[in-house]
Amino acid sequence: MDMVIFSGLLPLIGVCGLLTNILNILVLSKYGLHETTSLMLFSLSVSNLFYSLAQLFQRLHSFVALFDPILAMSVKTISIVYIVSIPGYFSAISNLHTTIIAVERLVAVCFPLKMSWVFTPYRVKLLLVFIYFYVVVLLMPTCFLYEPSWIFDASTNKTIVAMKSTTFFKKNFDSITQYLYLGLPILLSTLPFVNTVVCSIVIGYKMTVRRKTSLIKMSSLSKDVKEKKVIKMMLTVCVVNSCLSLPVMAINIILVYNNTLIQSLSKMYYLLRTFNTVFSQVNATINFIIYISMSSKFASTLYEIYHCGVKKIKK
């Protein structure tokens, strides 16, 4: 079962995430990144692409274990020391992207006349750059928790890589632990999740119950139909992200507050961690399905790219 999950299912989802986000980037680039919507979706796809790539590298030891179990142990240790925080970094960035999308769509629905003034392409670019630096600063301590140590294993008569806590982590263990398990989840997970859910509920309410009063100004615009389709698609992105983020948050809470009990039941611990990874990876992959099913422009542009690619190959 472990081989099926870690050497089959997770790499398969990771490759799907890699390919779908590459397609997202190609299509959105062909649009021309002049609109705020395209900018946000493009940056979100880049973040999800690197998340999928980091997950694949993190699972590299499972593939190596099929040929050399001893080498796989060293590869796993190195990935924990140097790569383990990277998926979390891009996952947090993606969550913040979804929050920005929710806020942007909220403004578009509630204050359509002020939309173009509040969310200009220049301001959105600055906001997206800020997100990357913001998450880097918050997650900086995670880069200094562990370090590799080369030791000789008498049972295998080989030198392997082991992991040990850094001096920095040992000296500040209590404060770092509180920051990692209390501060970071609130800043990078709980608050963005609550913000996205609240904005999504308000948008849904405005688009249904109060359609005639709240969107009356939009109905006179020539781009009314297009704008409503964009709002529905972006709202779907937010809702799906929230639905997939909820079990991830629940699992993280269980792992934090029942850590000792669950780790004593090793199978339960790894099962929960696996579910966590699967939900996060699906979250980084599913946007492609939303775009292609809800945007005829995205689907037609994808077909054009495919058609041009086929022509070049035939030549």
Side-chain angles (χ1 to χ4, degrees):
M1 181 61 71
D2 289 345
M3 183 177 296
V4 172
I5 294 175
F6 294 106
S7 301
L9 177 61
L10 291 178
L12 177 62
I13 300 175
V15 170
C16 290
L18 201 64
L19 295 177
T20 54
N21 283 294
I22 289 174
L23 292 175
N24 290 343
I25 291 170
L26 290 175
V27 172
L28 293 169
S29 298
K30 195 170 179 63
Y31 280 3
L33 304 177
H34 305 299
E35 298 181 357
T36 57
T37 301
S38 299
L39 283 170
M40 289 185 290
L41 294 183
F42 178 84
S43 184
L44 176 60
S45 297
V46 171
S47 177
N48 288 334
L49 172 66
F50 281 104
Y51 174 85
S52 301
L53 190 61
Q55 282 289 4
L56 287 174
F57 275 108
Q58 198 171 353
R59 300 295 167 189
L60 182 62
H61 66 89
S62 299
F63 177 75
V64 176
L66 299 175
F67 307 96
D68 191 339
I70 304 302
L71 178 61
M73 293 172 59
S74 297
V75 173
K76 182 178 181 180
T77 301
I78 292 173
S79 68
I80 292 174
V81 173
Y82 295 111
I83 304 177
V84 71
S85 61
I86 296 179
Y89 168 73
F90 286 107
S91 178
I93 289 175
S94 297
N95 289 336
L96 291 175
H97 272 73
T98 307
T99 301
I100 292 175
I101 289 172
V103 174
E104 190 257 2
R105 288 296 96 187
L106 180 67
V107 174
V109 171
C110 297
F111 310 100
L113 298 180
K114 296 182 179 180
M115 172 64 188
S116 59
W117 178 78
V118 177
F119 284 93
T120 64
Y122 178 73
R123 289 178 179 176
V124 169
K125 289 178 183 178
L126 290 180
L127 185 58
L128 294 176
V129 171
F130 170 76
I131 287 176
Y132 283 86
F133 282 102
Y134 172 73
V135 178
V136 166
V137 172
L138 289 181
L139 291 179
M140 187 66 70
T142 62
C143 299
F144 306 100
L145 301 181
Y146 303 103
E147 59 185 1
S149 175
W150 296 90
I151 61 173
F152 179 76
D153 186 10
S155 61
T156 59
N157 198 29
K158 291 183 178 180
T159 301
I160 62 173
V161 183
M163 181 179 64
K164 65 177 183 178
S165 300
T166 61
T167 305
F168 168 75
F169 189 26
K170 292 176 182 177
K171 288 183 178 179
N172 305 278
F173 179 80
D174 291 336
S175 57
I176 291 177
T177 301
Q178 290 180 1
Y179 175 72
L180 293 178
Y181 292 109
L182 295 177
L184 278 183
I186 293 175
L187 293 174
L188 298 180
S189 182
T190 306
L191 290 180
F193 173 79
V194 171
N195 197 328
T196 302
V197 170
V198 171
C199 290
S200 299
I201 292 173
V202 174
I203 293 170
Y205 176 76
K206 292 285 186 179
M207 292 185 67
T208 53
V209 178
R210 299 178 61 186
R211 182 184 300 273
K212 293 183 179 180
T213 56
S214 297
L215 300 180
I216 187 69
K217 296 179 181 180
M218 292 177 58
S219 61
S220 61
L221 300 177
S222 59
K223 296 182 178 180
D224 178 39
V225 175
K226 176 184 175 182
E227 183 67 19
K228 289 179 181 179
K229 287 183 178 179
V230 172
I231 292 174
K232 288 180 180 179
M233 187 185 74
M234 301 294 266
L235 177 61
T236 303
V237 170
C238 295
V239 171
V240 171
N241 176 271
S242 298
C243 291
L244 291 171
S245 295
L246 185 58
V248 173
M249 291 176 54
I251 290 172
N252 285 333
I253 291 173
I254 293 172
L255 291 175
V256 170
Y257 292 101
N258 297 279
N259 196 39
T260 304
L261 175 61
I262 292 175
Q263 287 200 21
S264 64
L265 304 171
S266 57
K267 290 186 178 180
M268 176 64 71
Y269 176 78
Y270 285 109
L271 183 62
L272 290 174
R273 297 291 295 183
T274 301
F275 279 138
N276 199 329
T277 303
V278 169
F279 279 117
S280 298
Q281 184 60 72
V282 171
N283 199 4
T285 307
I286 201 169
N287 286 342
F288 174 79
I289 299 175
I290 297 174
Y291 302 158
I292 200 170
S293 61
M294 299 190 69
S295 173
S296 57
K297 182 180 178 182
F298 185 94
S300 60
T301 305
L302 181 63
Y303 176 76
E304 288 178 13
I305 293 174
Y306 169 76
H307 190 62
C308 292
V310 171
K311 280 187 175 180
K312 289 181 180 179
I313 292 173
K314 288 182 177 180
K315 288 180 180 180

